[in-house]
Amino acid sequence: MTAEHNGIAGPYFEYDRLPALPALPAVDKDLPLIHPYAPVTPDRYVTPGGGWLNIRPAEMRAHIRITLDHMGCPAQFTDEKNAAFKRLALATEGHCVQAGCRYRAAYADGVLRIFEVRNGSIALAAFVRAALAVELGDFTLTERLLQETEALAGPVRQAGEEGQANDG
């Protein structure tokens, strides 16, 4: 069913045999559902938690930009998930600092989370798996990526240290 006034398919529709995803715009209902262990390529996907995941080259070709939009789902905005997504952003920033980028972790709490992953630093599939795991409530992959980053680049800023800049 589509609401004609705004093009939203919903309130809910069956998506790849998953009956309870949030309503998506009608133009997005045919997007592929990303599986955490499937190959990851630049594209636009629907996540297992019902959000949008976009993967594309960043303006600076040394990075890949990943955006995760949870479309306002309150289950994705808990303090624990916000902290885990922040730590995931810090893990990517550590690799950039090691490589000499003048770059801060692209992260903000809220509906749209933006990450930039340096090509060749963290495998794209590993990063996406960690982000999808956080979405589903598992923070272990994020912690593992952060530990690997700290082993390579030294300590990264902690979640409460927003005021410090890393200038490479």
Side-chain angles (χ1 to χ4, degrees):
M1 159 171 118
T2 301
E4 295 298 324
H5 67 283
N6 61 7
I8 299 292
Y12 295 98
F13 63 93
E14 186 173 304
Y15 186 94
D16 198 24
R17 296 178 305 279
L18 298 173
L21 288 177
L24 295 172
V27 296
D28 291 337
K29 72 180 185 64
D30 294 326
L31 289 175
L33 181 67
I34 190 165
H35 187 281
Y37 295 104
V40 178
T41 58
D43 205 346
R44 185 171 184 167
Y45 302 94
V46 173
T47 68
W52 286 306
L53 179 76
N54 294 297
I55 303 169
R56 67 179 199 277
E59 291 175 16
M60 296 177 11
R61 295 288 182 188
H63 296 85
I64 293 184
R65 177 167 284 209
I66 300 165
T67 59
L68 185 55
D69 184 346
H70 290 114
M71 300 179 287
C73 177
Q76 299 302 330
F77 305 118
T78 65
D79 291 340
E80 295 83 13
K81 288 185 180 182
N82 285 337
F85 280 120
K86 173 79 178 208
R87 292 175 66 75
L88 188 56
L90 291 173
T92 65
E93 182 182 27
H95 283 273
C96 286
V97 169
Q98 177 71 17
C101 296
R102 293 184 177 271
Y103 156 74
R104 287 185 51 95
Y107 175 80
D109 286 342
V111 174
L112 181 64
R113 292 181 163 93
I114 301 169
F115 305 93
E116 289 192 5
V117 179
R118 184 168 177 76
N119 289 329
S121 62
I122 297 173
L124 182 59
F127 181 88
V128 169
R129 278 188 200 114
L132 295 177
V134 170
E135 186 183 60
L136 298 174
D138 180 0
F139 310 130
T140 56
L141 294 176
T142 295
E143 292 306 315
R144 187 176 314 149
L145 285 176
L146 190 60
Q147 289 171 359
E148 290 173 5
T149 297
E150 288 182 333
L152 171 73
V156 296
R157 292 181 293 121
Q158 296 303 309
E161 298 177 19
E162 284 94 24
Q164 296 180 0
N166 285 328
D167 293 326

